[in-house]
Amino acid sequence: MATVYLARDIQHDRQVAVKVLSTDVSIVLGAERFRREIEVTTALVHPNILPILDSGQAGNSLYYVMPYVEGESLRARLDRERSLSIDEAIRITCEIGDALEYAHQHGIVHRDIKPENILLDGDRAVLADFGIAHAMAQVGEQRLTQTGISLGTPTYMSPEQASAERVLDGRSDVYSLACVAYDMIDRKSVV
């Protein structure tokens, strides 16, 4: 769906991540819808939500700019360590849960909670990709499916999301976060 580039913000002399959506995704979303959804999600200010610094269009591709997180994704850590301690899994789950509660209070459902969208920045977990997940949901599953793009990751989808229900609320994100928590747990210590 997208390619992420490491870049330097020369105006503020800092590293940033630039996420460039594929041409297909950009065409399906449309520049105006993308702009509106990014505006909605930039209003989310929470220590466990990766903010969007800027967005725009370059040629046929839409992009947005986020702070660069020097850590790693939860997926990369799980690939390396296979599981986390219960304390670490609970900490990450609680931090992302706080971010989701905040977003849900503002009427925004993420719709794509998965280890790839959770970044570990030192001792802090941050949730990424609010803008694109929300914008894609507004386009509608039928238009996305026609282009071969699916919204969400089957392993982490709630049953209502997997059955393509039109209206989802925060409970869908909570279900997905529970799936992520299950993946993090060191199953040997649960017995």
Side-chain angles (χ1 to χ4, degrees):
M1 282 185 27
T3 304
V4 180
Y5 297 96
L6 177 62
R8 174 152 302 281
D9 175 353
I10 55 174
Q11 184 175 2
H12 298 100
D13 192 31
R14 63 183 173 184
Q15 288 186 315
V16 294
V18 179
K19 189 161 199 170
V20 181
L21 305 182
S22 72
T23 303
D24 289 344
V25 172
S26 296
I27 290 169
V28 168
L29 282 178
E32 185 58 30
R33 173 178 279 118
F34 177 74
R35 185 190 61 73
R36 282 193 316 266
E37 297 303 328
I38 291 295
E39 281 179 11
V40 168
T41 57
T42 56
L44 296 176
V45 179
H46 188 278
N48 300 105
I49 295 176
L50 191 65
I52 296 174
L53 303 174
D54 197 7
S55 64
Q57 184 172 1
N60 290 327
S61 296
L62 301 168
Y63 69 89
Y64 57 100
V65 182
M66 305 163 288
Y68 171 65
V69 175
E70 285 195 38
E72 62 186 338
S73 72
L74 178 57
R75 168 59 58 220
R77 183 150 176 214
L78 289 174
D79 286 349
R80 188 178 70 253
E81 297 181 16
R82 308 244 333 133
S83 63
L84 306 179
S85 71
I86 290 178
D87 288 343
E88 184 75 357
I90 289 171
R91 180 188 66 78
I92 292 168
T93 302
C94 288
E95 289 179 3
I96 299 304
D98 285 345
L100 289 172
E101 179 181 28
Y102 175 81
H104 298 160
Q105 288 171 349
H106 288 82
I108 298 175
V109 179
H110 188 286
R111 300 173 191 265
D112 197 18
I113 305 299
K114 60 185 178 182
E116 291 82 354
N117 285 338
I118 297 173
L119 304 177
L120 305 175
D121 186 18
D123 287 336
R124 182 175 63 117
V126 292
L127 186 55
D129 280 354
F130 260 103
I132 186 61
H134 193 257
M136 297 284 284
Q138 298 305 311
V139 168
E141 193 69 31
Q142 184 177 6
R143 284 187 61 197
L144 294 173
T145 305
Q146 289 170 354
T147 63
I149 301 165
S150 63
L151 180 58
T153 303
T155 304
Y156 303 99
M157 278 184 186
S158 66
E160 61 272 18
Q161 187 176 2
S163 64
E165 287 191 23
R166 305 292 278 151
V167 179
L168 296 178
D169 60 29
R171 293 174 292 185
S172 182
D173 283 345
V174 172
Y175 179 95
S176 298
L177 180 58
C179 293
V180 171
Y182 179 80
D183 275 358
M184 287 189 284
I185 293 174
D186 180 355
R187 288 163 186 87
K188 292 176 284 198
S189 65
V190 176
V191 181

